[in-house]
Amino acid sequence: MYKVRLWSIKRARMMEVLYAFLEKSLVACAPVFERIGYDRLERPVAAVEKTVKGVLFDCQMCGQCALSKTGMSCPMNCPKSIRNGPCGGVRIDGYCEVKPEMRCVWVEAWTGSQRMKNGGDMSIVQVAIDHRLIGSSSWLREVRRIRAEESAAKNPTDTASNISSS
Ligand code: SF4
């Protein structure tokens, strides 16, 4: 699906808007998710995520999605799986040194990020991948993160006491 991947990067701004909408919708559904239980939802949601992102981005389900900070170019398609690229081997024409038939995912990331709001946050350094999360849903993880932040903002004393007791 290489051509579709390039198509998505060319439309990085549109993808960013769609993603923001998806995120809002998923967060709005969070109370339902919490009732059902995230563990129960993990497999079906991960399957949907894998299908949708597989088609659009050649997603490898790393479980820690960085698309919004990599110009909608999935870093896991880099043959070296570099999360903060590019490496020093990019060819002068912008192609990959390992797969000469493929444009460097980081050259594509830069192009895509220039189409996004705030330059796609390309300056943010990505942390090393946690292999325990491979195959899991980034969407659900993001919903839980946002919900935890919202809850911490509403109850700052709880958060402070949790931190001091841990
Ligand atoms: S960064 Fe990870 S979750 Fe996001 S598209 Fe790439 S492999 Fe999939």
Side-chain angles (χ1 to χ4, degrees), residues 60 67 116 145:
Q60 310 292 320
L67 282 175
M116 293 170 73
R145 185 190 65 76

Side-chain angles (χ1 to χ4, degrees), residues 49 53 57 59-67 74-76 83 138:
E49 184 175 337
K53 285 163 67 178
F57 308 109
C59 170
Q60 310 292 320
M61 288 300 281
C62 72
Q64 301 129 87
C65 198
L67 282 175
C74 170
M76 303 313 285
R83 296 285 281 194
S138 293

Side-chain angles (χ1 to χ4, degrees), residues 28-46:
C29 293
V32 180
F33 295 165
E34 282 153 19
R35 227 181 257 175
I36 298 169
Y38 285 105
D39 288 347
R40 273 197 206 151
L41 287 167
E42 181 60 42
R43 278 181 75 172
V45 174

Side-chain angles (χ1 to χ4, degrees), residues 13 16 68-71 109-110 112-124:
R13 177 66 188 141
E16 184 180 33
S68 60
K69 294 164 193 79
T70 57
W110 177 255
S113 72
Q114 297 311 296
R115 298 183 176 117
M116 293 170 73
K117 206 174 168 187
N118 304 325
D121 292 335
M122 276 285 282
S123 57
I124 295 174

